[in-house]
Amino acid sequence: APWPRASLVAGAALLLVGAGLAVLLARGLLSRLVDAARGARLLTVERAARWRGPAIEIEAQLRAVETRGARRRAMALVVTSRVVGWSSSWVALAATGTYATPDQWAALITVGALVSLLASPIPLGIGVADGGTAVLYGALGLGAGRGVSIALARRMVTVAYAALGVVLALTDRRAMRR
């Protein structure tokens, strides 16, 4: 199917657009947008003045040398998180005896991110994550049932993380009382 390859191309294009936007933001895009909106009379003078200050502050923070290390560490953690998530999906799929092709993985990663984004406003993504993942896996020929299984496995991991967080929070409160 041609669309898994197209999703890989779209993902690469979005990565380039994101990197380009980061560079433009560091070079003053926000304050220029505020100025352009004021020039087009989309913003009042007062509102433009209020927005320009925070825009310049954000741009200065993006240019600041002292925060580059922190940004790099944050990006490394984000990339690590994504790789762990993708790896856990691979392990879960392999546990069902199914192995996806590189084209299918490209679609699972890019379109799967869209499904996650659409499911995020709903508690645990109930319904949207299940249905979206089932449709995606079915369309890729991996089996809609496997997609639902993967979505439920992810939900179980989320609930386990939440339970661990509750235990840690309760433990921390007990330690603080002593």
Side-chain angles (χ1 to χ4, degrees), residues 7-8 11-12 15 75-95 98 100 104-114 116 136-137 150 154 157 161:
S7 66
L8 180 62
L15 183 66
M75 286 304 297
L77 289 172
V78 168
V79 169
T80 301
S81 170
R82 298 309 318 165
V83 169
V84 168
W86 297 332
S87 300
S88 66
S89 293
W90 182 85
V91 168
L93 192 59
T98 304
Q104 289 170 322
W105 274 114
L108 288 173
I109 289 170
T110 55
V111 179
L114 178 61
S116 294
L136 175 60
Y137 275 67
I150 298 290
R154 285 187 193 134
V157 168
Y161 284 153

Side-chain angles (χ1 to χ4, degrees), residues 48-145:
R50 277 197 324 264
W51 287 12
R52 196 166 203 298
I56 290 172
E57 186 178 327
I58 290 168
E59 294 162 354
Q61 289 175 1
L62 289 172
R63 282 190 300 270
V65 174
E66 64 272 5
T67 61
R68 286 187 184 152
R71 280 196 311 268
R72 285 189 182 122
R73 284 190 298 278
M75 286 304 297
L77 289 172
V78 168
V79 169
T80 301
S81 170
R82 298 309 318 165
V83 169
V84 168
W86 297 332
S87 300
S88 66
S89 293
W90 182 85
V91 168
L93 192 59
T96 68
T98 304
Y99 298 91
T101 66
D103 287 350
Q104 289 170 322
W105 274 114
L108 288 173
I109 289 170
T110 55
V111 179
L114 178 61
V115 170
S116 294
L117 180 68
L118 294 173
S120 62
I122 298 155
L124 290 175
I126 293 177
V128 177
D130 311 337
T133 307
V135 168
L136 175 60
Y137 275 67
L140 291 172
L142 298 171

